[in-house]
């Protein structure tokens, strides 16, 4: 009698933990690294060198961290964050993208042509320095997600697949009523 009750339960647990992702419920797996302790980004509106302003509150934020002189890996990562945002469809207006430069001069012509709406925090900007301090340890090419309250939520290591970032961001937007 106990085998009739516990047998299917044991099979389900085995498939979930040992059987791979195809047996797990969709939307339950985070691909990014959940940050264990909350880290608040700088608050308030700050001015950018191109004359625009930015704020980490009110919208979900994708923050790419990399060299301002943007090599091929940087261009690919910026492309991935742009495509992840676009793939959200009608929800994409809830997400903004940032390029946090760790040094070097960003190519404003390339960024304006290929990445309109990308908010760039270049080297020498005090708000950029404050953001880098909040990020703590990171590698060139990492992408972070911040919630609409300005708290860092997830970190994606460089070379994370677009699909993985999109899945996590879509899940966050679905679960959230803010931003």
């Amino acid at each position: 009698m106990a085998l009739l009750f516990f047998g299917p339960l044991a099979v389900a647990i085995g498939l979930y933990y040992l059987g791979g992702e195809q047996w797990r419920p969709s939307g339950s797996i985070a691909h990014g690294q959940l940050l264990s302790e909350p880290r608040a980004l700088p608050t308030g509106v700050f001015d950018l060198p191109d004359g625009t302003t930015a704020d980490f509150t009110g919208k979900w934020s994708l923050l790419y961290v990399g060299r301002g002189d943007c090599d091929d890996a940087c261009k690919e990562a910026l492309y991935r964050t742009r495509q992840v945002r676009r793939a959200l469809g009608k929800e994409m207006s809830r997400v903004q993208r940032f390029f946090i430069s760790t040094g070097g001069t960003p190519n404003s012509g390339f960024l304006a042509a290929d990445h309109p709406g990308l908010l760039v925090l270049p080297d020498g900007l005090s708000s950029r320095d404050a953001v880098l301090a909040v990020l703590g340890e990171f590698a060139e090419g990492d992408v972070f997600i911040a919630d609409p309250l300005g708290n860092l939520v997830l970190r994606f290591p460089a070379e994370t697949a677009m699909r993985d970032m999109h899945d996590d961001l879509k899940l966050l937007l679905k679960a959230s009523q803010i931003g």
Side-chain angles (χ1 to χ4, degrees):
M1 189 65 131
L3 185 59
L4 287 174
F5 177 75
F6 290 110
L9 184 62
V11 169
I13 290 171
L15 287 174
Y16 182 84
Y17 288 105
L18 303 174
E21 290 191 29
Q22 71 270 17
W23 294 101
R24 296 180 185 143
S26 65
S28 65
I29 304 301
H31 301 285
Q33 298 170 351
L34 186 63
L35 300 177
S36 59
E37 51 187 67
R39 295 186 225 164
L41 291 166
T43 58
V45 176
F46 49 93
D47 295 321
L48 299 177
D50 64 0
T52 61
T53 60
D55 185 1
F56 288 112
T57 59
K59 291 186 175 191
W60 288 87
S61 299
L62 284 170
L63 292 82
Y64 168 75
V65 183
R67 297 260 327 143
D69 43 7
C70 210
D71 60 10
D72 289 339
C74 167
K75 290 176 182 174
E76 175 64 25
L78 288 176
Y79 168 79
R80 285 196 322 265
T81 61
R82 183 184 71 201
Q83 294 306 102
V84 164
R85 182 177 174 270
R86 283 184 177 171
L88 294 170
K90 67 179 182 170
E91 298 292 328
M92 79 179 210
S93 63
R94 296 176 63 192
V95 178
Q96 60 187 348
R97 293 184 315 131
F98 285 87
F99 177 10
I100 314 299
S101 172
T102 58
T105 305
N107 180 339
S108 57
F110 158 72
L111 295 174
D114 289 4
H115 299 281
L118 180 67
L119 301 166
V120 181
L121 279 69
D123 192 18
L125 194 64
S126 61
S127 53
R128 186 225 49 155
D129 297 339
V131 170
L132 289 177
V134 171
L135 294 180
E137 290 187 33
F138 62 86
E140 297 283 329
D142 284 356
V143 176
F144 291 84
I145 293 181
D147 69 15
L149 300 176
N151 299 306
L152 291 174
V153 178
L154 288 174
R155 175 183 169 266
F156 295 99
E159 304 300 323
T160 299
M162 284 188 289
R163 180 72 174 174
D164 293 345
M165 276 192 272
H166 176 263
D167 289 348
D168 284 358
L169 187 55
K170 188 175 176 182
L171 184 64
L172 289 169
L173 290 171
K174 183 177 179 181
S176 171
Q177 298 302 313
I178 58 175

